[in-house]
């Protein structure tokens, strides 16, 4: 069988303890020019208002991505929409993770306050947030990072709930470098990477998540496949 | 741990043999009123033109679903859009599978030529297509079926490539009842159900799929979960 590239995306989400709705929305859609984009929005606050906000913004961002609009413009347009209709009084974070099959690159476009974790060729990097949330200031623009679409690339993106875990009990932020050293570089499925980070963080919050939480994991690996098959799945547990 | 409901969705896709792009597009998005919708479009023909058509129509349908538009209207609007701009000369099939958490129902909205397979309480039903493809005739409307959101429900929806497999070698259509008898009612994960049907059908085509193929599987099961966690994943093999 010929060598092939496996693009593996995993998402894990939960909501703030005792809250019924998560203000974090994650969508994964196909790009018209080839490839896929994950849209992750964390609406300010928690509960129904935050959920409505994040669904509204993800609706805008997903529609633009599906129309073929470039990611940097999707982020600016989603910001402009929020700023125009909420007058700078409401904010949200926005992450776009794209696998662009035309340019053969991984493109990460962010307006957030949380860092991201990147593994490549044995190196582990914690990349700080360079552009703040959307919705607050007139000319907000995203920070964009372009990475190679090559086997061995591992990326973890997450919302504030992950980064702020343990704050209530005055713990330092979650040790991302230690997490990467322990779990990266072993061909771990993306779903497991996302689950592991979510579990680690819920433990820091004593089993009761302090905020809505979402993790997006990307793993590019070598594979062998006779045929191009695409799989997609979702599991939701309703208590 | 309390009993809970597990909503499990699995999708498997491949393209026509020796074709580089699949005219079947499947997207899974969150409904603003609570729940999820799978959008499956099979654009007429194969190759780039079919892929472009199915991406264009899925873009329209996904945007409408994400804006909270009811499924029957999404199907009508997507048809009207195609009919208005392609003048009845191009067709596509459309399937919407929704888990509506507000009404606690599973709603299936179809404009297609393939039957669907349904399992519930030990019974297995093959439900014929009642409404043809979109794009051809002025007043096309979908057929809609509402099912309970209850443990034990299993649904398989698929595009024409599945239903027409084996035609080149004059085989009868795939025996869906036998498939259901063999694999339904055993808490099989949705991804496995989708994979199994796709494999069965590719075998009927002698290992070389005669058309683009997509399968959507839904399984509702009882589960135990202390916490509402949502997982989502995608794996793409690029040869």
């Amino acid at each position: 069988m010929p060598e092939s590239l496996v693009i593996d995306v995993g998402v894990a989400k939960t909501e703030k303890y005792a809250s019924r709705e998560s203000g974090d929305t994650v969508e994964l859609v196909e790009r018209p020019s080839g490839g896929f984009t994950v849209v992750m929005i964390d609406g300010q606050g928690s509960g129904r208002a935050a959920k409505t906000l994040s669904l509204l913004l993800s609706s805008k961002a997903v529609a633009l991505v599906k129309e073929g609009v470039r990611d940097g413009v999707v982020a600016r347009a989603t910001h402009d929409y929020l700023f125009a209709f909420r007058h700078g009084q409401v904010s949200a974070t926005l992450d776009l993770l794209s696998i662009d099959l035309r340019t053969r690159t991984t493109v990460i476009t962010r307006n957030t306050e949380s860092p991201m974790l990147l593994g490549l060729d044995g190196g582990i990097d914690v990349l700080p947030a360079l552009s703040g949330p959307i919705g607050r200031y007139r000319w907000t623009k995203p920070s964009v990072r372009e990475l190679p679409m090559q086997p061995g690339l591992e990326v973890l993106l997450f919302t504030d709930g992950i980064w702020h875990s343990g704050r209530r009990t005055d713990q330092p932020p979650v040790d991302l470098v230690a997490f990467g050293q322990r779990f990266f570089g072993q061909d771990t499925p993306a779903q497991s990477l996302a689950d592991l980070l979510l579990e680690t963080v819920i433990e820091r919050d004593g089993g009761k998540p302090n905020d809505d939480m979402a993790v997006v994991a990307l793993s590019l690996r070598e594979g062998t496949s006779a045929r191009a098959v695409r799989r997609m799945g979702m599991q939701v547990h309703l208590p």
Side-chain angles (χ1 to χ4, degrees), chain A:
Chain A
M1 297 217 184
E3 259 188 28
S4 67
L5 182 69
V6 179
I7 301 168
D8 184 12
V9 177
V11 176
K13 269 183 63 184
T14 194
E15 54 244 36
K16 182 176 176 175
Y17 181 71
S19 180
R20 284 188 53 204
E21 296 176 285
S22 169
D24 295 356
T25 299
V26 182
E27 301 279 21
L28 167 60
V29 292
E30 202 167 328
R31 299 171 69 78
S33 57
F36 314 91
T37 297
V38 180
V39 175
M40 177 164 69
I41 309 272
D42 179 356
Q44 183 183 327
S46 65
R48 167 162 274 198
K51 182 64 189 170
T52 301
L53 176 66
S54 79
L55 280 165
L56 189 70
L57 298 176
S58 72
S59 164
K60 174 60 72 182
V62 161
L64 293 169
V65 168
K66 292 263 322 157
E67 283 170 8
V69 175
R70 64 197 74 178
D71 290 6
V73 173
V74 172
R76 285 168 174 83
T78 308
H79 162 75
D80 289 346
Y81 175 63
L82 177 59
F83 189 82
F85 286 96
R86 303 299 283 272
H87 315 292
Q89 287 160 1
V90 176
S91 71
T93 68
L94 174 149
D95 287 271
L96 304 175
L97 170 67
S98 292
I99 308 292
D100 188 328
L101 295 180
R102 198 166 38 88
T103 58
R104 294 191 73 84
T105 55
T106 304
V107 182
I108 300 168
T109 304
R110 310 192 77 201
N111 280 107
T112 176
E113 283 170 332
S114 303
M116 58 178 270
L117 183 61
L118 176 68
L120 186 62
D121 295 331
I124 290 164
D125 279 318
V126 175
L127 306 175
L130 299 175
S131 305
I134 62 173
R136 283 266 180 235
Y137 308 108
R138 185 66 194 93
W139 298 113
T140 296
K141 57 183 185 172
S143 60
V144 180
R145 194 174 286 261
E146 203 162 359
L147 300 163
M149 196 176 96
Q150 73 180 52
L153 179 69
E154 293 174 294
V155 179
L156 277 170
L157 292 172
F158 40 83
T159 56
D160 292 354
I162 302 291
W163 189 234
H164 296 161
S165 68
R167 269 202 181 176
R168 209 174 24 185
T169 49
D170 288 330
Q171 297 172 60
V174 57
D175 188 343
L176 294 171
V177 172
F179 185 91
Q181 283 168 343
R182 185 155 167 212
F183 298 112
F184 275 7
Q186 302 164 46
D187 288 349
T188 308
Q191 187 66 66
S192 303
L193 289 175
D195 287 348
L196 284 164
L197 184 57
L198 189 64
E199 279 163 31
T200 302
V201 158
I202 290 176
E203 210 167 284
R204 288 163 50 85
D205 274 345
K208 297 179 178 178
N210 208 8
D211 192 1
D212 302 326
M213 295 177 169
V215 184
V216 175
L218 169 71
S219 162
L220 302 182
R221 298 191 295 277
E222 280 173 4
T224 51
S225 178
R227 170 178 304 124
V229 172
R230 177 180 163 193
R231 293 192 174 79
M232 190 165 68
M234 184 194 69
Q235 291 79 42
V236 180
H237 293 255
L238 296 180

